[in-house]
Amino acid sequence: LAGLLAAGQSGEVQAYVQGMVQTTAPEEPAAYTQNPTLDALLAYYAAGLEWLGADMRVEADPLSDLPIDNLELCVVLGNLLENALNAVAKLPMGQRYVHMAIRWDAPRLIIRAENPYTGAIVKNEAGLPSADGQTGLGTKSVQAVAQRHRGEFLPEWDGDVFRAYVI
């Protein structure tokens, strides 16, 4: 959304927000992970992606009792999903999807996110991916959380599909 605002496309941001507000919450919230905080975040992005006509698939282990703070997990998942949402919004209908796998293999949490994209992805000064001249602050945040837990953030892209692994 910040990228659209920076590009002077406030009408598109307004339309997105109105669509999100008009989207009614399901009677039974999705239970992707059995962690209410993470499930709320995933449901929020699922609604946004659905509004865009994108398919969102989440495969997740139960994450109700992790040694990692929910706030840090929300930083990771939120940044990955926000980047994915922004990327697929630029694609034609029928090409929009986000696939996410979240696995708990004690003592490691393994997150894999995948989405198609169009346009250039370049490495910023930190060597992290950045699209459309953005700062890459989201990917820096993901990397910081991974490093704080002695893990890694491993992004890769091939011209059509972006994949991010957080281990």
Side-chain angles (χ1 to χ4, degrees):
L1 294 177
L4 289 172
L5 286 173
Q9 298 176 350
S10 59
E12 288 185 37
V13 172
Q14 184 178 14
Y16 171 77
V17 171
Q18 286 175 341
M20 291 298 293
V21 169
Q22 291 173 357
T23 302
T24 58
E27 291 181 22
E28 287 292 318
Y32 298 101
T33 66
Q34 298 178 9
N35 178 317
T37 305
L38 300 180
D39 287 347
L41 179 78
L42 290 165
Y44 171 79
Y45 280 100
L49 288 159
E50 180 181 346
W51 185 80
L52 288 173
D55 174 49
M56 180 168 162
R57 185 177 70 211
V58 178
E59 299 170 16
D61 290 338
L63 304 174
S64 57
D65 189 29
L66 291 176
I68 303 169
D69 182 68
N70 277 342
L71 177 60
E72 290 186 306
L73 286 174
C74 285
V75 166
V76 170
L77 294 176
N79 278 299
L80 294 175
L81 287 166
E82 184 71 22
N83 290 345
L85 186 145
N86 289 331
V88 301
K90 298 173 186 173
L91 294 168
M93 295 295 271
Q95 295 180 16
R96 300 174 178 180
Y97 72 87
V98 175
H99 296 166
M100 180 160 286
I102 310 167
R103 300 287 179 223
W104 175 241
D105 184 19
R108 297 180 310 167
L109 181 65
I110 303 165
I111 300 169
R112 179 182 184 269
E114 175 181 314
N115 60 270
Y117 70 94
T118 187
I121 295 179
V122 297
K123 290 184 180 182
N124 63 18
E125 72 282 350
L128 296 171
S130 176
D132 299 326
Q134 300 295 314
T135 62
L137 182 59
T139 55
K140 288 178 190 175
S141 299
V142 171
Q143 183 180 50
V145 170
Q147 289 176 341
R148 196 167 20 261
H149 293 278
R150 291 183 233 121
E152 293 183 82
F153 170 48
L154 306 167
E156 60 183 42
W157 57 98
D158 61 11
D160 294 316
V161 177
F162 179 86
R163 290 177 191 85
Y165 302 89
V166 183
I167 302 169

